[in-house]
Structure formats: C-alpha cells, structure tokens
C-alpha cells in the first residue's frame, strides 16, 4: 500500500464554465483534509487551483505551493500557503513537485495541466518514479482523452501496461483507494536511469 502523505494536484488556473469542476475540486480538498493529506500544487490563488487550495486552508489543511519566479506576481500567487517555494523555471517546478509528492491527481485544466500529467506519466513509464497517478474524470471532461489513450493502444502505439499507469475514476474516494493500492510495473531491463 502506498503512503499518500502529499499529493500533487494538476488543474486549471482558470475557473472554466462548468461549476461541477470547481465543486469537485473543493470536495477533493475536503477529502485531503479528512485523510490528513498535504496538497502540493502550482501556488496560484486563481481558478480551480485556487479553489482547492483555499478550501484546504479554510479547514486548516496543509498546502505547499511551488511556482516559477516569472509567474510570482501578486495577482496570481497565493500568499497564505503553509509553504511557498519559488523555482527558476518551469522544469525545476515540475521536478520539485515530483520529488516532494507521494502521488499525483489531475483535474480538468488546459495545456499546462495535460503537459504536467503526461510528463509524470512518461517519467513513470521510464522508471524514474513509482508513484500513483490519478485522473479524476469530472462530468465526463476526460472522456475524449481516455478514448484517445484506448485508440493509441488499439493502434499499438501505446503498450497496454503503460496505459494502466493512469488510474482513472469519477469518484474521489474510489480514486484515492486505487492510488493507495497501486503497484508500479517493473521497468524493462534495457532501460536504465543513465539512458533516460
């Protein structure tokens, strides 16, 4: 069983127009506090990101924000976090997020959200970490993405085992339970950290 003390959440810095997404983000914050899980995220006070962080802070939960210097402007960065770390660039931000977290959950978002998701998936595929990666499919938002991954498997451009690295669920508690039970597959012998 994985110990999920700190979970990194990737999600939008915009609110979007589907209230169910923000409602689910707030519910995820509630679940984290109930399970004594620290949130690791991109340090913004706006959008879906800001909603989950603020809910957790309101409930006296722990929130760690990680933000690159160029985004650290007062209109964006949340000043009331438990911890705030500033990095030189986006790469250092994502590396720190991976290093301090025990797992990852992706909520709806845009390009940046998907880029973060696929980077940690690729790192796991390459054997650089063995942490569970969850996708919370709120109101069908990720249905097309899940279908695309299946298309990649069907066309033999994605290995079925690698597809299973992404834990997909529509319910928070079920997703967290699956993440706790996740066991990363072994990495092929031809791949080593020196080759990645």
């Amino acid at each position: 069983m994985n110990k999920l003390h700190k979970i990194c959440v990737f999600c939008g810095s915009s609110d979007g127009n589907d209230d169910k997404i923000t409602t689910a983000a707030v519910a995820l914050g509630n679940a984290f506090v109930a399970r004594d899980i620290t949130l690791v995220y991109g340090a913004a006070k706006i959008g879906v990101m800001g909603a989950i962080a603020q809910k957790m802070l309101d409930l006296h939960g722990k929130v760690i924000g990680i933000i690159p210097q160029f985004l650290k402007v007062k209109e964006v960065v949340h000043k009331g976090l438990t911890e705030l770390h500033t990095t030189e660039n986006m790469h250092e931000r994502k590396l720190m997020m991976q290093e301090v977290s025990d797992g990852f959950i992706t909520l709806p978002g845009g390009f940046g959200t998907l880029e973060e998701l696929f980077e940690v998936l690729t790192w796991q595929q390459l054997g650089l970490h063995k942490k569970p990666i969850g996708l919370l499919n709120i109101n069908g938002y990720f249905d097309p993405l899940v279908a695309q991954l299946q298309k990649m498997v069907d066309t033999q451009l994605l290995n079925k085992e690698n597809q299973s690295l992404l834990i997909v669920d529509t319910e928070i508690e079920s997703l967290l339970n699956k993440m706790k039970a996740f066991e990363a597959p072994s990495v092929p012998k031809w791949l080593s950290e020196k080759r990645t």
Side-chain angles (χ1 to χ4, degrees), residues 15-28 48 51 107-108 136-141 170 172:
D15 293 314
N17 62 8
D18 185 346
D19 292 340
K20 290 180 181 177
I21 293 170
T22 303
T23 299
V26 169
L28 184 61
V48 180
L107 304 180
L136 188 59
N137 190 10
I138 302 164
N139 202 23
Y141 184 84
T170 58
I172 292 170

Side-chain angles (χ1 to χ4, degrees), residues 94-113:
K94 290 180 288 184
L95 186 59
M96 182 180 287
M97 285 175 158
Q98 192 277 127
E99 288 173 343
V100 304
S101 302
D102 302 312
F104 310 88
I105 293 178
T106 299
L107 304 180
F111 282 158
T113 300

Side-chain angles (χ1 to χ4, degrees), residues 20-148:
K20 290 180 181 177
I21 293 170
T22 303
T23 299
V26 169
L28 184 61
N30 280 324
F32 277 15
V33 172
R35 289 181 178 229
D36 196 25
I37 296 171
T38 297
L39 168 67
V40 178
Y41 87 121
K45 65 180 180 182
I46 56 176
V48 180
M49 295 170 69
I52 184 174
Q54 192 57 55
K55 182 60 179 180
M56 289 191 62
L57 292 169
D58 290 345
L59 295 174
H60 308 290
K62 296 175 184 173
V63 180
I64 299 173
I66 304 173
I67 192 166
Q69 182 63 47
F70 76 93
L71 286 179
K72 195 176 178 183
V73 292
K74 64 181 180 179
E75 291 82 10
V76 174
V77 70
H78 198 305
K79 297 287 190 178
L81 304 178
T82 311
E83 294 179 29
L84 178 62
H85 299 273
T86 305
T87 63
E88 289 295 316
N89 52 51
M90 293 290 281
H91 180 72
E92 285 184 13
R93 175 203 219 178
K94 290 180 288 184
L95 186 59
M96 182 180 287
M97 285 175 158
Q98 192 277 127
E99 288 173 343
V100 304
S101 302
D102 302 312
F104 310 88
I105 293 178
T106 299
L107 304 180
F111 282 158
T113 300
L114 292 179
E115 189 267 341
E116 289 166 332
L117 167 64
F118 281 108
E119 184 151 42
V120 293
L121 275 170
T122 302
W123 287 353
Q124 187 179 93
Q125 178 180 302
L126 295 173
L128 301 179
H129 74 83
K130 295 188 174 191
K131 301 170 184 179
I133 303 168
L135 185 73
L136 188 59
N137 190 10
I138 302 164
N139 202 23
Y141 184 84
F142 287 117
D143 286 353
L145 177 61
V146 172
Q148 178 61 40

